Amino acid sequence: MAPFVLQEWGPQAVDLMRRIKTAFDPHGILNPGVLLNDDPHANVRNLKTMPQVDPTLDACIECGFCEPVCPSRDLTTTPRQRIALQREIARHPEEPALVRQLSKDYTYDAVETCAADSSCQTTCPVNIDTGSAMKHLRRDAHGPLAEWAALLAAQRFSVSERDARLAVLAGRRLYRSFGPSPLQALTGLGRRILSAELIPEWLDEIPDAAPRRLPPTDRSGAAAVYVPACVNRIFGTPSTGGELTLPEAFVRVSERAGRPVWIPDDVWGTCCATIWQSKGFQSGNRFMANHLVDNLWRWSDQGRLPVVFDASSCTLGATREVVDHLDDTNAARHQRLDFRDAVDWARAEIVPHLATLTKTGTAVIHPTCSMRHLDGGHGLKELSRSLADTVVEPASSTCCGFAGDRGLLHPELTESATREEAAEVTALAADVHLSGNRTCEIGLHHTTGRAYESVINQLERASRPQAEPS
């Protein structure tokens, strides 16, 4: 556009632009010739090539609209830069040393530090999902042994859950006895010997382990099937202490409203498949997606009862992300299932039936990236307004970058992604800090020092009759 600026703005405005440019950049070293250029043929010289690298990315014109919402924008690369780097690699097929170095750097700077939350898609004018492309690169990096191990983990996920819960239990006990140093040394050694993509770092904010048993419920008279997320079957109350786990709080407030929910006895080992999908494990993802729908179909009495999930990422995963991995039978079943997120279920089915609701003063909220995909985060905001006199959503709130276990594998991603939000949060004297996804709450607790919890826990507290104990 540079040769046409004069025609677009006129000589007086362009003269002002040149004077301002000269005042700030007398040597012409900043963006030279990009906006102000004396060459009338600048638009046809030195054209930037756009080699094809991926059908899902090739439409990118590198406008950068995606950059402000990317969790890794201030740490490594943005979606625009991830695509630009792929194109740069493609431009130099005859320079193997350069390609090797760029490809090596790309692994961490683009693939490993991508939260793969698809926030970029929400702001892209042509709907490009760079996060999905990074998942494909993770998939392509897996060998047969890794695929087999991931499938085995999916097939025996109840064992994986149990082992994870026991690891959390042991970690918290070790932390209380000896502090963080032994845990940091142990996980650090594992990360060096094995891989930083396999072994998580220890964070002091990791919650206590969940109880061995979920709260008892009855299928008879249930208004919905309640599927506690695997993270809420592994993690219990926050590390700072708490009265009830999320499943306990949700069951109790549902009963209080006369809308009881039922947790299937065989819920252990069932997952929304997001674990495998986000890491690019195809076989495990396909198995768990179909296992999930098989169970939901049975539990819901072939779609008669709604199915409620208590983590927004699980709601998104079960509602949308499993669809492409279902067989024909389960694809047809999936269309007849009624999926609900706990936040929206609470707004529609619990709050209107509660006898009392005592508001707190100020609530800070964090709408997760999954919430933004599902309803723009409006549900969390509306429910929080019924629980607090003042509800604050930080202006800089975007995806926290924790992304399941990504914030444990690369804590620097969450620390960078939430730096501005943390500054806003710590400057506020809030009574509660609320969200709707357990791993995001852990990440925000880590970076802000404020104990985030599910809005459902606050709803349960606010609706207690005066004489009812915790």
Side-chain angles (χ1 to χ4, degrees):
M1 297 300 294
F4 310 104
V5 169
L6 188 64
Q7 292 171 256
E8 184 179 9
W9 291 95
Q12 186 176 8
V14 172
D15 181 61
L16 284 170
M17 293 179 193
R18 289 186 180 278
R19 289 164 61 189
I20 293 169
K21 168 73 170 172
T22 301
F24 282 90
D25 183 21
H27 301 293
I29 61 173
L30 304 177
N31 244 17
V34 173
L35 295 178
L36 299 173
N37 195 315
D38 293 324
D39 182 359
H41 302 294
N43 59 313
V44 293
R45 299 187 199 276
N46 304 313
L47 295 178
K48 180 168 67 175
T49 59
M50 291 285 195
Q52 292 184 338
V53 293
D54 184 325
T56 64
L57 304 177
D58 289 337
C60 176
I61 60 168
E62 301 181 18
C63 66
F65 283 13
C66 56
E67 296 188 306
V69 299
C70 177
S72 59
R73 60 192 177 274
D74 295 323
L75 177 67
T76 49
T77 57
T78 64
R80 179 190 67 79
Q81 292 168 333
R82 287 177 168 91
I83 297 170
L85 282 167
Q86 284 200 31
R87 288 170 171 166
E88 187 66 14
I89 291 171
R91 288 188 187 105
H92 300 280
E94 298 179 358
E95 298 182 60
L98 176 62
V99 169
R100 278 195 302 271
Q101 187 60 52
L102 286 174
S103 299
K104 179 183 177 182
D105 293 343
Y106 197 85
T107 299
Y108 174 79
D109 289 341
V111 181
E112 292 181 0
T113 52
C114 177
D117 63 293
S118 301
S119 291
C120 47
Q121 187 179 32
T122 65
T123 58
C124 177
V126 290
N127 207 38
I128 292 173
D129 185 353
T130 310
S132 177
M134 295 303 104
K135 293 176 191 176
H136 292 162
L137 292 178
R138 292 172 188 169
R139 176 200 64 196
D140 295 343
H142 298 321
L145 181 61
E147 276 287 340
W148 172 83
L151 175 59
L152 185 66
Q155 294 170 335
R156 301 182 180 180
F157 190 57
S158 58
V159 176
S160 302
E161 274 189 74
R162 181 202 63 194
D163 292 347
R165 192 188 68 80
L166 291 175
V168 172
L169 179 65
R172 291 307 309 177
R173 287 181 176 176
L174 191 61
Y175 177 82
R176 289 190 179 99
S177 298
F178 302 103
S181 298
L183 289 160
Q184 292 169 349
L186 186 64
T187 57
L189 180 64
R191 288 165 66 83
R192 287 192 296 274
I193 294 175
L194 297 174
S195 168
E197 283 291 289
L198 289 175
I199 307 299
E201 280 194 25
W202 172 261
L203 299 182
D204 295 349
E205 296 78 16
I206 289 177
D208 289 331
R212 290 181 59 189
R213 300 185 185 279
L214 291 162
T217 56
D218 191 348
R219 183 170 187 170
S220 176
V225 178
Y226 169 34
V227 182
C230 60
V231 290
N232 293 321
R233 304 192 298 257
I234 294 169
F235 296 122
T237 53
S239 59
T240 52
E243 301 166 324
L244 299 173
T245 65
L246 176 53
E248 290 168 345
F250 190 62
V251 167
R252 186 174 293 192
V253 74
S254 298
E255 291 174 348
R256 193 177 292 152
R259 301 290 286 163
V261 293
W262 171 60
I263 302 175
D265 294 336
D266 56 343
V267 72
W268 303 96
T270 300
C271 172
C272 65
T274 299
I275 295 172
W276 293 268
Q277 193 254 5
S278 65
K279 293 179 180 295
F281 289 113
Q282 294 187 91
S283 300
N285 186 21
R286 191 179 306 112
F287 171 84
M288 187 55 76
N290 284 281
H291 180 64
L292 171 71
V293 175
D294 278 336
N295 284 339
L296 296 183
W297 185 249
R298 176 169 52 87
W299 293 336
S300 67
D301 193 13
Q302 300 181 3
R304 181 181 64 84
L305 289 175
V307 180
V308 181
F309 295 90
D310 62 5
S312 58
S313 60
C314 298
T315 309
L316 180 66
T319 304
R320 300 182 188 176
E321 294 177 348
V322 302
V323 174
D324 292 339
H325 309 282
L326 300 174
D327 59 35
D328 291 342
T329 299
N330 281 326
R333 290 172 173 175
H334 187 275
Q335 292 181 348
R336 294 175 58 184
L337 292 170
D338 182 7
F339 298 95
R340 306 287 188 92
D341 186 75
V343 172
D344 296 318
W345 177 262
R347 287 176 58 212
E349 301 291 340
I350 295 179
V351 171
H353 302 289
L354 292 172
T356 183
L357 210 55
T358 304
K359 287 189 173 186
T360 190
T362 299
V364 171
I365 64 171
H366 177 84
T368 68
C369 51
S370 297
M371 289 177 179
R372 297 184 192 278
H373 284 294
L374 289 165
D375 71 352
H378 301 303
L380 176 64
K381 188 177 296 184
E382 290 304 311
L383 181 56
S384 299
R385 283 173 177 161
S386 67
L387 304 176
D389 295 322
T390 303
V391 175
V392 179
E393 178 186 350
S396 56
S397 172
T398 57
C399 173
C400 69
F402 209 85
D405 65 351
R406 191 94 344 215
L408 292 172
L409 299 173
H410 298 288
E412 69 274 16
L413 177 59
T414 296
E415 291 162 2
S416 175
T418 60
R419 186 174 293 119
E420 294 178 11
E421 182 177 1
E424 287 189 67
V425 170
T426 54
L428 292 168
D431 299 286
V432 292
H433 298 79
L434 308 175
S435 191
N437 207 74
R438 193 53 180 275
T439 53
C440 301
E441 292 154 15
I442 296 171
L444 289 162
H445 187 182
H446 173 65
T447 59
T448 67
R450 307 295 190 266
Y452 278 74
E453 63 178 351
S454 171
V455 67
I456 301 299
N457 288 85
Q458 181 61 23
L459 176 62
E460 189 282 324
R461 279 194 297 270
S463 62
R464 290 175 190 170
Q466 292 298 317
E468 183 178 323
S470 62

